[in-house]
């Protein structure tokens, strides 16, 4: 089975981390994010993956390579962003698509039963089938009401108005080639705004997955939530064992005399000084945290240096290579750009 993963977005909501690392290979619990998605696709029989890239495409290819768990990985790179459906048309035009394709948003962490979705699609002879999940707050998602047989009645993209159901588009599609042939070539096209609304009421079906794990990790809050869920085992994964605080400390990290945890990820070769405190946070590789510093519910990109006694967070995001001076305070929810220097006691953000 073939899958195409949409991995070309700029990931603006995860800036400043995505200035230097594309969301597709952003470390999540110490692993490139897409490795979780590729494991999941592999477990449902996918053996051929097309990675649709644009922004920082070279980094995605360098990290993931051309083969993963025996699956063939190919890259289709667009010069200009083509949206969500445009890249699929480009892959068709490049002659590499099969008759049927699984398409996924490349920022979804899920264990949804993809095999059941494909079976559902086949049973109905659908042109396209959307995986649907239920969420409490539908405002930032496409809402998808269906009839009893799963035929999509309407496709209601991101609205704060009243909606008929809390089932939303999970960004996991099964699509027949004839639908892809109907997507215009050579320009940006959106599945959500242009393709699905037209197919609704005709050959578009929704497969409602029974309470799977599902999370779009594309915002700072959800990136942290996904991390904590992985650490707690709320989603299936092959992560190494966590320590007694529910934290994951990768090789080469030095933490003697520091308080690390709960629910923290320390990347490779991090160094955390005496009496420093790192709680419910993510440190990418080679981060240094000085003695007596505090990092709370925050994400620090690789090579960030935190001076002694500095206070970070909660909810701060610090770009790769930034330096936080001794005793500095990085306020709640602040953003620090890559390589920025936050001096002494100055507040950032
Ligand atoms: P934000 O800027 O934070 O909204 O993130 P994003 O750029 O990733 O956009 P969004 O979360 O809406 O995208 C959903 C999925 O589609 C992600 O996996 C993106 O990588 C991917 N995507 C978005 N736009 C494009 C595009 O123009 N081309 C390709 N190939 N993929 C895209």
């Amino acid at each position: 089975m073939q899958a195409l993963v949409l991995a070309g977005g700029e990931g603006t909501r995860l800036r400043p981390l995505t200035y230097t690392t594309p969301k597709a290979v952003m470390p999540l619990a110490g692993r490139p994010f897409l490795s979780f998605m590729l494991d999941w696709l592999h477990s449902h029989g996918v053996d051929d993956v097309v990675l649709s890239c644009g922004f920082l495409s070279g980094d995605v290819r360098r990290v993931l390579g051309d083969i993963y768990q025996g699956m063939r990985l190919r890259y289709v790179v667009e010069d200009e962003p083509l949206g969500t459906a445009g890249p699929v048309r480009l892959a068709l035009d490049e002659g590499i698509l099969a008759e049927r394709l699984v398409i996924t948003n490349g920022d979804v962490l899920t264990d949804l039963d993809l095999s059941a979705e494909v079976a559902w699609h086949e049973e109905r002879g659908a042109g396209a089938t959307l995986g649907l999940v239920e969420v409490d707050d539908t405002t930032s998602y496409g809402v998808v009401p269906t009839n009893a047989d799963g035929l999509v009645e309407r496709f209601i993209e991101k609205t704060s108005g009243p909606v008929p159901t809390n089932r939303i588009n999970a960004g996991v599609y099964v699509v027949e080639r004839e639908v892809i042939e109907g997507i215009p070539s050579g320009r940006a096209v959106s599945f959500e705004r242009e393709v699905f609304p037209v197919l609704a009421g005709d050959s578009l079906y929704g497969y409602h997955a029974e309470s799977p794990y599902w999370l779009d990790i594309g915002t700072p809050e959800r990136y942290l939530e996904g991390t904590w869920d992985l650490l707690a085992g709320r989603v299936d994964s092959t992560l190494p064992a966590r320590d007694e605080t529910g934290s994951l400390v990768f090789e080469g990290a030095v933490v003697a005399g520091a308080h690390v945890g709960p629910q923290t990820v320390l990347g490779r070769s991090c160094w955390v000084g005496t009496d420093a405190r790192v709680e419910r946070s993510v440190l990418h590789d080679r981060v240094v945290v000085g003695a007596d510093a505090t990092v709370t519910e925050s994400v620090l990109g690789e090579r960030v240096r935190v001076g002694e006694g500095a206070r970070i967070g909660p909810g701060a995001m610090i770009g790769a290579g930034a330096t936080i001076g001794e005793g500095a305070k990085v306020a709640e929810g602040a953003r620090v750009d890559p390589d920025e220097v936050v001096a002494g006691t100055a507040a950032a953000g």
Side-chain angles (χ1 to χ4, degrees):
M1 190 156 65
Q2 188 178 50
L4 181 145
V5 179
L6 290 163
E10 286 191 45
T12 54
R13 290 166 299 167
L14 272 183
R15 287 176 180 167
L17 301 176
T18 44
Y19 281 129
T20 50
T21 306
K23 189 162 57 173
V25 291
M26 178 76 59
L28 183 71
R31 277 173 44 180
F33 172 67
L34 275 189
S35 69
F36 293 99
M37 172 161 281
L38 293 173
D39 284 348
W40 167 69
L41 290 170
H42 185 245
S43 72
H44 289 284
V46 170
D47 57 1
D48 179 10
V49 180
V50 178
L51 289 153
S52 167
C53 300
F55 178 69
L56 298 179
S57 61
D59 290 355
V60 181
R61 187 171 199 150
R62 185 172 45 75
V63 172
L64 296 176
D66 297 325
I67 195 144
Y68 179 90
Q69 303 267 21
M71 294 189 290
R72 178 181 191 189
L73 305 187
R74 285 181 286 182
Y75 296 81
V76 173
V77 179
E78 63 215 46
D79 301 329
E80 296 290 328
L82 291 177
T84 48
V88 184
R89 176 69 209 210
L90 177 63
L92 179 79
D93 292 341
E94 292 198 0
I96 58 173
L97 293 194
E99 282 305 308
R100 176 179 297 156
L101 188 63
V102 169
I103 301 173
T104 68
N105 281 354
D107 51 6
V108 171
L109 180 64
T110 188
D111 56 15
L112 181 152
D113 190 345
L114 179 61
S115 305
E117 182 176 337
V118 172
W120 174 275
H121 173 88
E122 264 172 23
E123 282 158 21
R124 284 159 184 75
T129 297
L130 315 181
L132 307 180
V133 292
E134 287 176 9
V135 294
D136 295 333
D137 178 6
T138 60
T139 47
S140 51
Y141 302 103
V143 172
V144 188
T146 64
N147 73 9
D149 190 42
L151 186 72
V152 172
E153 293 166 331
R154 275 190 299 152
F155 193 90
I156 309 162
E157 185 61 354
K158 297 174 187 146
T159 171
S160 51
V163 286
T165 171
N166 62 347
R167 291 183 183 179
I168 58 117
N169 170 17
V172 179
Y173 319 133
V174 186
V175 183
E176 295 298 317
R177 188 186 179 95
E178 73 219 30
V179 170
I180 298 166
E181 285 169 350
I183 299 170
S185 279
R187 68 166 175 91
V189 184
S190 161
F191 269 123
E192 299 83 349
R193 279 184 283 278
E194 293 180 62
V195 180
F196 297 149
V198 173
L199 293 179
D202 181 18
S203 58
L204 184 66
Y205 283 78
Y207 164 73
H208 175 230
E210 285 301 331
S211 47
Y213 182 88
W214 183 88
L215 187 72
D216 155 5
I217 57 117
T219 68
E221 297 73 24
R222 294 201 294 257
Y223 173 86
L224 278 171
E225 190 183 335
T227 302
W228 297 330
D229 288 344
L230 278 164
L231 292 175
R234 283 191 279 272
V235 52
D236 290 343
S237 79
T238 53
L239 282 181
R242 275 67 84 191
D243 68 15
E244 64 286 356
T245 74
S247 299
L248 199 47
V249 176
F250 283 90
E251 64 268 23
V254 177
V255 294
H259 308 276
V260 172
Q263 294 169 294
T264 288
V265 179
L266 291 194
R268 289 144 196 91
S269 304
C270 286
W271 188 92
V272 184
T274 311
D275 285 330
R277 194 168 279 282
V278 183
E279 292 176 345
R280 289 167 63 78
S281 291
V282 176
L283 276 51
H284 293 174
D285 294 349
R286 293 188 287 147
V287 171
V288 174
V289 177
D292 298 312
T294 306
V295 180
T296 311
E297 295 189 10
S298 293
V299 184
L300 279 52
E302 45 169 34
R303 293 177 291 101
V304 165
R305 303 181 75 83
V306 177
E308 282 189 19
R311 297 274 175 275
I312 295 178
M317 304 275 284
I318 304 195
T323 302
I324 312 301
E326 272 183 34
K329 187 168 179 339
V330 176
E332 178 165 356
R335 306 284 177 262
V336 177
D337 279 343
D339 296 322
E340 189 178 332
V341 177
V342 176
T345 51

